[in-house]
Amino acid sequence: MKIAIFGKRRQSAEDLPLISALFDLLSRRGVFTVVQRHFFDALAKDLGSAPPVDDVFEADDFSADIAMSLGGDGTFLRTARWVGAKEVPIVGINTGHLGFLAEESLRDAHEVVDNLLDGDYFTEERSLLEVRASGDGLRHLVSGWAYALNEVAILRRGNASMVSVHTFLDDIEIASYQGDGLIISTPTGSTAYNLSVGGPIVQPTAPCFVLSPIAPHALTMRPLVVSDSHEIKATVDSRVPTYRVTLDGRALILPTDVTLSVRRAPFVVKVLHRRGRTFVDTLSSKLLWGISKR
């Protein structure tokens, strides 16, 4: 088995011995291990010596059976970006905070490796958002990656007054959302930014998008769940000539005469889970879902 490993460059001091033990375990079990250059260099510096690996690669220039993300959900999102359309399954080992995507504990890494080598896991396909823009196009502005696994957020600029986001489902106008902006979320992203503004939690494999207004000016504006077979188009009115767009936190500024188009991407992100683990288990462990305080 060949595993490509990605990670955040700043790991906590208490996690470093566990990460070192994970690399030693992979080496002992005969796993062919390749590591992204940035992570490898940072890890070698923090550990005082290079971890036992078989190869080092640059950026997204790799091939593997499985990709492993060592970090939090932000690291998982970056890993999904590097994997791109390769559709290499990703397992997330959490060294961050809450960890909805990076759901495995670093302390359980031995069990995770055993499951991977025994084939005792299942793969879940997660949809992405593909974003396009009129004029110069969004793809160039975000360095070749115009996709989001969690959400696309259309936002007002800094301390500017509220924006109006005129939103269409295919050619049917849904609403003009007046406020701080609008989140277009995947089911995966429903527990991220979407959840913080009162959007619904959605089963990760559901074929839908969620539209959630941010601080809406009208109380009648509520989150809306739509089929992901549609294309969503949005134009923005603002007192300033630009607005902000983020794709999984990667921000750019666009002029208000640019129209955004959002649709389901032609490829998916494959997420690995240990058998027996369900979405409800993740909600219970991360959000104390269904636990009564009485």
Side-chain angles (χ1 to χ4, degrees), residues 5-277:
I5 301 180
F6 302 79
K8 63 179 183 179
R9 284 180 278 183
R10 293 183 179 179
Q11 301 284 354
S12 65
E14 58 267 27
D15 284 337
L16 285 174
L18 297 175
I19 293 173
S20 178
L22 171 60
F23 276 92
D24 290 339
L25 173 63
L26 292 170
S27 178
R28 291 197 309 271
R29 296 296 301 272
V31 176
F32 192 93
T33 307
V34 297
V35 184
Q36 192 182 44
R37 169 68 66 183
H38 291 310
F39 180 48
F40 177 82
D41 290 344
L43 197 57
K45 180 180 178 181
D46 289 340
L47 293 175
S49 62
V53 302
D54 295 288
D55 200 4
V56 177
F57 61 91
E58 303 287 344
D60 60 352
D61 186 19
F62 77 97
S63 63
D65 301 304
I66 291 172
M68 181 178 289
S69 171
L70 289 176
D73 283 355
T75 305
F76 192 101
L77 291 172
R78 287 189 292 273
T79 300
R81 180 181 177 185
W82 294 123
V83 169
K86 293 183 176 72
E87 295 192 348
V88 175
I90 306 171
V91 58
I93 297 182
N94 188 25
T95 66
H97 298 292
L98 195 59
F100 270 96
L101 291 167
E103 65 182 16
E104 296 289 357
S105 169
L106 182 58
R107 298 187 181 279
D108 296 333
H110 193 287
E111 295 178 25
V112 174
V113 172
D114 286 345
N115 290 147
L116 293 178
L117 294 180
D118 293 341
D120 192 18
Y121 59 84
F122 69 97
T123 303
E124 193 174 65
E125 294 187 352
R126 304 288 186 91
S127 61
L128 297 98
L129 299 169
E130 179 181 19
V131 187
R132 292 290 180 268
S134 63
D136 292 335
L138 190 62
R139 176 182 291 276
H140 172 71
L141 296 173
V142 291
S143 302
W145 182 252
Y147 303 93
L149 177 58
N150 270 352
E151 77 279 316
V152 173
I154 303 169
L155 307 163
R156 65 187 178 94
R157 285 288 308 277
N159 59 358
S161 59
M162 68 180 183
V163 294
S164 296
V165 185
H166 307 294
T167 309
F168 298 80
L169 193 66
D170 294 330
D171 294 321
I172 302 172
E173 185 170 10
I174 300 173
S176 291
Y177 295 99
Q178 292 182 310
D180 285 358
L182 177 69
I183 297 169
I184 303 172
S185 169
T186 66
T188 297
S190 69
T191 51
Y193 196 0
N194 168 75
L195 185 61
S196 73
V197 300
I201 295 174
V202 180
Q203 185 180 8
T205 55
C208 64
F209 299 139
V210 181
L211 281 67
S212 295
I214 306 169
H217 185 62
L219 293 177
T220 53
M221 292 290 95
R222 290 290 183 263
L224 178 67
V225 180
V226 300
S227 169
D228 66 5
S229 63
H230 298 287
E231 182 177 34
I232 298 169
K233 296 180 181 179
T235 61
V236 177
D237 285 334
S238 174
R239 290 184 181 177
V240 296
T242 58
Y243 64 99
R244 186 159 56 101
V245 177
T246 66
L247 288 78
D248 289 345
R250 293 171 288 117
L252 63 152
I253 305 300
L254 293 177
T256 52
D257 60 357
V258 166
T259 299
L260 292 180
S261 298
V262 180
R263 60 184 178 183
R264 179 169 178 155
F267 57 91
V268 297
V269 169
K270 295 183 177 180
V271 182
L272 290 185
H273 304 280
R274 286 193 276 174
R275 293 196 186 279
R277 187 183 292 272

